[in-house]
Amino acid sequence: MSEWSKQDRFKAILSGEKADRPIVSGWRHFIDKEQTADDLAQTTISFTKQYDWDWVKINPRATYLAEAWGNQYDFTDYQTVFPRQQTTAIPSAANLWDIEVKKAVHTASLAEHLDGVRKIRQGLPDTPLIQTVFSPLTVLLFIVGRSAYVTKTVFGIEHPVTLESLFKEHRAAAHHALHAISLTLADYVQELQHVGSDGLFYAVTGTAHPGLFNEAMFDEFSRPYDSIVLEAASYGKNILHTCGAYAQPERFNDYRIDGISWDTVAEGNPGLVADLKATKVGGVDHGLFAVNDIAQIKQQAKEALTLMKDQPFILSPNCAIPLNVTDEALAQLKQSIFE
C-alpha cells in the first residue's frame, strides 16, 4: 500500500497484520466536559486534533451506562473520575428483577451518547473511533453501588449490597438483570454503528481479579453476557480492556475481540510477552503521566516498540491517563512512534 490512511492502519493492525508503522493513542477524562453530548464531542475532537492521535477511544463519563436504569449522580462532586452516586435503581438484591431491557434511542443517557458519537464522527471524519462500553457485569455492579474494582468503593455509597446477596442468595435474579443489561447494551452497540463508531473499547474493568470473582463466578456471570454484547459489535474492530492488577488477559483468548489492553506493569500481570491471540494494546505505565516523567514515558515506549517490532502493535498507556497529565507528556507519547 503506497499511502496508508488512519483507517487502513487501524483495520490492518487489529486484523493481526502489520502496517507501515505501529499506531498510538491516549485517552483521559475531562470531568468538566462530559455532561453533555456537545461538550464531550467538542473536547474529544479538540484533544484528538491537538495530538493527531491515530485513533480515538471515546471517553464518556464513567456512569453513563448505569444511568440508563435510573441511577442519579452529583456531577458537581467528583472523586477522581467518578461523580458522587446519589441514588441506586436497585437498593437490594431482591430488586434485581426490576431491571428491564431498554431501547437505546429511547433512553436518555444512551441517546445522549449516540448523539455525542455522531458529532465526534462529523468532526473527525477520517479517524477511527471506538466507543467505551462496560461489560454487563460491570454495569450491574455500578447500578447497585458496588465497585467493579477489588480495592475501591463507590463514591457516595457507604453500605452497598453484598456480593453474596447479589450472586448467591439472588442468583436467578442476577442472571435476569445481566441478561436485560446485555440485551440493552447489544441494542446500543448496534445503534453505535449507525452514528459512526468503528467498534468498541469493551471494558470488563477489574472483574477478572480473583479477589472480586473467582474463575467459576466470572465464567458464570460475565462470559455469557460479554458474548451477547461483543456479538452485536461484530461489525467493527473491538479492543477489550481488563483493568488493574491480576487482570488475567490470557483469559480472553477465546473472546470475539481484535485487541487486548491491560496493565503490563501491575502486580500479577504479564508483560507484552504474554501469549495472547488478539493484537496487543498498551506498553506505557499510565501512572507516569501523573508525575510527568518524560524520560520514563520515552523509555517505556521505546522498549515496547522494540519488543513488538515484528508484530502488529498499538502503543498506548495501560489505562486512562490521569487528570493532571501535561501537554509535554502527551506530546512525548505521540512522538515516540517516530523516534
Side-chain angles (χ1 to χ4, degrees):
M1 188 177 297
S2 57
E3 188 70 26
W4 288 79
S5 69
K6 289 184 176 182
Q7 285 282 2
D8 291 334
R9 291 189 186 100
F10 184 75
K11 290 175 181 176
I13 289 172
L14 285 169
S15 297
E17 304 164 6
K18 288 189 68 178
D20 59 332
R21 62 168 176 82
I23 58 176
V24 62
S25 190
W27 49 90
R28 54 159 296 186
H29 285 272
F30 294 88
I31 60 175
D32 59 337
K33 297 291 185 182
E34 61 180 25
Q35 280 77 55
T36 70
D38 283 341
D39 279 353
L40 179 63
Q42 290 170 13
T43 300
T44 302
I45 293 164
S46 174
F47 180 63
T48 303
K49 288 182 175 179
Q50 181 176 355
Y51 301 102
D52 192 24
W53 298 124
D54 289 315
W55 59 284
V56 179
K57 173 207 180 291
I58 300 171
N59 228 45
R61 60 182 181 270
T63 56
Y64 89 104
L65 295 172
E67 291 168 42
W69 283 271
N71 278 22
Q72 295 179 325
Y73 299 87
D74 181 355
F75 296 115
T76 68
D77 190 6
Y78 273 77
Q79 190 176 80
T80 63
V81 301
F82 293 96
R84 183 168 60 84
Q85 186 166 340
Q86 296 175 305
T87 65
T88 170
I90 305 297
S92 72
N95 297 106
L96 289 168
W97 292 109
D98 296 335
I99 296 278
E100 296 179 340
V101 179
K102 304 280 189 178
K103 292 292 290 182
V105 296
H106 298 139
T107 304
S109 66
L110 302 182
E112 172 196 335
H113 284 81
L114 290 171
D115 188 35
V117 175
R118 184 184 295 107
K119 288 178 164 71
I120 295 168
R121 170 51 72 208
Q122 290 169 350
L124 299 169
D126 303 317
T127 304
L129 309 174
I130 59 175
Q131 172 66 308
T132 301
V133 172
F134 293 133
S135 73
L137 180 56
T138 289
V139 175
L140 177 60
L141 292 171
F142 283 172
I143 289 172
V144 302
R146 283 206 67 90
S147 176
Y149 305 89
V150 71
T151 59
K152 300 178 182 178
T153 56
V154 167
F155 181 37
I157 302 295
E158 293 184 4
H159 303 290
V161 60
T162 67
L163 291 176
E164 181 162 326
S165 179
L166 284 171
F167 299 111
K168 292 185 179 178
E169 296 168 6
H170 296 271
R171 187 184 296 257
H175 279 295
H176 160 81
L178 288 164
H179 190 235
I181 293 167
S182 65
L183 293 179
T184 301
L185 296 183
D187 177 70
Y188 171 60
V189 163
Q190 290 177 328
E191 293 292 344
L192 283 171
Q193 181 183 15
H194 303 317
V195 294
S197 180
D198 294 303
L200 302 184
F201 189 90
Y202 185 78
V204 299
T205 59
T207 56
H209 193 300
L212 196 58
F213 294 103
N214 63 33
E215 188 170 359
M217 291 282 283
F218 185 89
D219 286 351
E220 178 178 350
F221 292 105
S222 193
R223 278 180 164 269
Y225 306 106
D226 296 332
S227 295
I228 291 171
V229 182
L230 289 168
E231 178 69 24
S234 60
Y235 58 82
K237 295 298 183 185
N238 302 304
I239 296 171
L240 183 141
H241 177 67
T242 176
C243 196
Y246 298 94
Q248 305 188 71
E250 63 282 348
R251 176 177 286 183
F252 303 97
N253 271 340
D254 66 336
Y255 269 49
R256 191 170 184 170
I257 56 173
D258 307 287
I260 179 84
S261 162
W262 78 104
D263 191 338
T264 57
V265 299
E267 182 181 1
N269 287 352
L272 284 174
V273 296
D275 185 15
L276 305 176
K277 293 184 177 179
T279 296
K280 295 170 184 176
V281 180
V284 180
D285 181 1
H286 57 287
L288 297 174
F289 296 88
V291 294
N292 193 34
D293 193 335
I294 303 300
Q296 272 297 304
I297 292 169
K298 184 175 182 178
Q299 180 64 26
Q300 287 193 9
K302 180 180 179 181
E303 290 173 356
L305 290 165
T306 299
L307 179 67
M308 298 299 295
K309 68 181 188 304
D310 295 324
Q311 300 175 50
F313 179 57
I314 298 177
L315 180 70
S316 77
N318 289 335
C319 200
I321 296 166
L323 299 179
N324 59 339
V325 64
T326 64
D327 288 344
E328 185 184 9
L330 290 168
Q332 178 57 59
L333 176 65
K334 175 58 194 287
Q335 184 59 31
S336 297
I337 285 287
F338 304 104
E339 293 179 343

